[in-house]
Structures are given as structure tokens and as C-alpha cells.
Amino acid sequence: MPKIIYVGDTVEIRYIFHSEDALFGGEFENPSAKLELRTDSSIFLSREDYFTVRSALLEKINTEYTFSLTIIPWKTGICELPQLNLSSLVNFSQDRNSAKANRPFVVSLSPIEVKSLVQKTKNHDFLPQAAPLTLPGTTIVLLVIAILAFIAFAGLLFMLLHLPTIVRFIENLSYLYSLRKNSRLAIKQLLALQKKSSQMPSDKDFAGEIQHILRNFLSKRFGQDFSSVVTNGFYPIFTEISGGNLTEQQEKAVDELVSIFARLDYVRFSENAKFLTETENNGTPERFTLIKNAVQMIADFDKEEE
């Protein structure tokens, strides 16, 4: 099998015979047996120029024996198969010297005809070179990958050429993020203080708490200790920080800061001073007004930084 054989085909040859005797001893003395025969025997190796033996198998079922040989022929024309002594092949495959070894069992396989594939196809030339076959849509995927790779390479080249600028940009982003974080924390603390206003009956304590939150905010924002700066000392410090000239937005934020601290100082250090009540302050307790002004002052500092 197959019936028509071409060079390079895998060919299977079966030789079936019957015998009442246990021809090969060993396992073949049982009613059924199977043995993979070795393909590196000298009888096979001597014919390698004509065919290659892929496998050899001997099976027994009761009195029926089947010898199967799988080969690949390499030459056209009539391929003569050698006579095979199955007894020797069995002994060689089982690596034993049996008493049966003196009783050779020789089979003669019919020759096979191997045809030429060139004669069948009538094609005597090599096929021309062709582009690799690709799955549908593969070209688009490869094109997209190439574009993305080009963009990535261009971006990397740009970063290398502008590395100092990019580093400064990242540092600025990090700095702005830290400022926003500090501002959010201060606003959160002020709003939390407003919520627990009813739990703090002392206006002096409330005023001191607002000043403590704002001083912490200023110290972290400008990297300078504001914990002991008096109210009239804010202008000189911010003038120094700004290089001697406050912008309009900076001056507005500092004015708000001084105004808030001046009112808080008055409530803290005047003996009978108190925050205005809701009735006295147009429907809003002065505590809440000061917190609102403090939140706005923080927002003004953020606008200046932008």
C-alpha cells in the first residue's frame, strides 16, 4: 500500500502466512504475540541507497502470522526487496540466541515498482521563488505593528535629544503635585474644623486652630518655618521669596492671609473679643466666614502657581 508508489512515499508491505508450529519461540509460543523488529540490522542497512526502513512488525494471532514492513523508496524503477530470515530478525530484535535460530524462516517479498513524480506532473523545472504565504489580515497587523514601532522609536529618540527638558518637566509635575496635595490637606482640615465648630465653645481655641492649620500649610508650601512668624512679618518674607517684587495675584493672596491672621490675632489676644454670631454677621457665623476666606486664600496661591 498504496497501489501506485512514487519516490518519497511511505509504503507498507504486509506478508501473511499460517503455521501450526510456534516458529520463533519466546513470546510466539503463546496464542497471540506482537514484536517490534529492529530496523538497524545489516540486511536493511545494506539497502539504504534504495529505501529506508521506517518500521518492522511481526504479529501472531493463533495460527496466522503477519509481517509488516514500512519503507520509503528513494529510486525509481523496480525496487528489489531482499529475502528476509524472520527467525534471525526476531532473535536480533530480542537480543537472544534461541534454539530456533537454526531453523531459518525465509520470506521472499515481491518487488515493487516506484514511479517518478516528475514523469507524473510533467514538470522538470524548479518552481520560481514566491513570497511567504500569510493568513488573511496579517498584512494589516504587521503594518500596524511597524507604525507603532516607528512611533515608539521616534518618541525614544525625541526623549534622548530633549532629556534635560523632560527631566525638568517631570520635576515640575512632581512639584505641582506636592503643592496640590498640601493644599487639599489644608482645605480638608479647615472643613473638618468647621464641622466640629459646635464642639469648640472657645473662640480663642478655634482661632488658634485655624492659624495652626494655615502655618503648617505655608511651611510645607514654601519650605520655610512659619510657625512663629507674626502677622506683620508676612509681607517681608513673601517679598524675599518672590525676589523683591510681588505679582498682582501674589499680593492679593498675601493681603488675604494678613487680613485673616489679623482678625484671628485680635480674637486670640484681646481679653473680651469674640467671633461675630450668625445674627451679627449677615446670617453666617464669622467662624465659617473666616474658614471660607482661608480656603479661598489657599486657592489663590494655587492659581499663582499655575
Side-chain angles (χ1 to χ4, degrees):
M1 298 180 290
K3 291 184 178 179
I4 300 177
I5 302 168
Y6 296 97
V7 172
D9 282 349
T10 298
V11 182
E12 183 178 356
I13 302 168
R14 290 183 182 176
Y15 186 91
I16 301 172
F17 57 94
H18 295 79
S19 174
E20 297 288 343
D21 297 334
L23 296 175
F24 308 109
E27 297 180 4
F28 289 95
E29 294 182 357
N30 300 318
S32 63
K34 179 187 293 187
L35 177 64
E36 290 278 354
L37 301 176
R38 291 171 60 176
T39 60
D40 57 344
S41 66
S42 58
I43 190 66
F44 291 145
L45 296 178
S46 64
R47 308 290 290 177
E48 276 189 332
D49 292 341
Y50 298 92
F51 59 85
T52 298
V53 179
R54 295 288 301 275
S55 65
L57 177 68
L58 181 62
E59 295 181 90
K60 173 189 177 184
I61 300 178
N62 295 325
T63 61
E64 182 178 279
Y65 292 82
T66 302
F67 170 61
S68 302
L69 187 66
T70 303
I71 66 171
I72 298 177
W74 301 121
K75 292 186 178 182
T76 59
I78 302 301
C79 179
E80 296 284 349
L81 300 173
Q83 288 187 335
L84 300 175
N85 186 344
L86 291 186
S87 295
S88 296
L89 278 176
V90 169
N91 292 330
F92 178 69
S93 300
Q94 293 181 335
D95 195 20
R96 64 183 176 88
N97 292 320
S98 171
K100 299 287 185 180
N102 295 324
R103 294 183 55 196
F105 188 88
V106 178
V107 298
S108 297
L109 302 177
S110 301
I112 61 175
E113 182 180 4
V114 181
K115 297 182 177 294
S116 171
L117 194 59
V118 173
Q119 293 177 353
K120 177 187 177 183
T121 60
K122 306 300 182 182
N123 189 354
H124 296 271
D125 299 324
F126 288 107
L127 293 176
Q129 292 182 348
L133 298 178
T134 57
L135 295 175
T138 305
T139 303
I140 296 177
V141 173
L142 293 176
L143 181 61
V144 171
I145 292 174
I147 293 174
L148 293 177
F150 176 78
I151 294 174
F153 176 76
L156 180 61
L157 184 62
F158 176 84
M159 291 176 62
L160 292 175
L161 294 176
H162 299 82
L163 189 59
T165 304
I166 294 173
V167 170
R168 286 195 301 270
F169 176 73
I170 294 175
E171 289 176 347
N172 289 337
L173 284 182
S174 177
Y175 171 67
L176 288 174
Y177 173 76
S178 66
L179 296 186
R180 295 291 184 276
K181 184 178 180 181
N182 182 44
S183 299
R184 288 195 298 268
L185 176 60
I187 293 173
K188 182 178 179 181
Q189 290 173 339
L190 289 171
L191 296 178
L193 179 63
Q194 177 177 308
K195 286 184 179 180
K196 65 178 183 179
S197 174
S198 59
Q199 303 173 15
M200 299 181 64
S202 171
D203 286 341
K204 297 184 184 299
D205 292 341
F206 193 86
E209 191 64 28
I210 294 177
Q211 286 188 336
H212 177 70
I213 293 172
L214 293 180
R215 289 182 187 277
N216 282 341
F217 162 74
L218 295 171
S219 296
K220 292 179 180 178
R221 186 177 192 87
F222 298 103
Q224 192 164 329
D225 186 11
F226 281 84
S227 61
S228 59
V229 177
V230 296
T231 301
N232 59 7
F234 284 125
Y235 267 109
I237 291 178
F238 282 106
T239 302
E240 182 182 352
I241 291 175
S242 63
N245 185 22
L246 292 172
T247 65
E248 182 179 351
Q249 185 68 36
Q250 290 171 341
E251 190 169 354
K252 177 185 176 183
V254 175
D255 284 341
E256 290 174 350
L257 176 65
V258 172
S259 175
I260 293 170
F261 266 76
R263 179 57 180 164
L264 295 174
D265 285 343
Y266 178 74
V267 172
R268 288 185 66 193
F269 302 116
S270 296
E271 184 176 353
N272 297 319
K274 293 182 179 181
F275 288 125
L276 298 177
T277 63
E278 183 176 348
T279 305
E280 297 170 335
N281 195 46
N282 299 323
T284 303
E286 188 181 10
R287 289 186 176 191
F288 293 0
T289 301
L290 286 169
I291 288 179
K292 179 182 177 182
N293 293 339
V295 171
Q296 182 60 49
M297 181 269 299
I298 293 174
D300 288 340
F301 274 117
D302 285 342
K303 288 179 183 178
E304 176 60 27
E305 202 61 49
E306 289 173 0

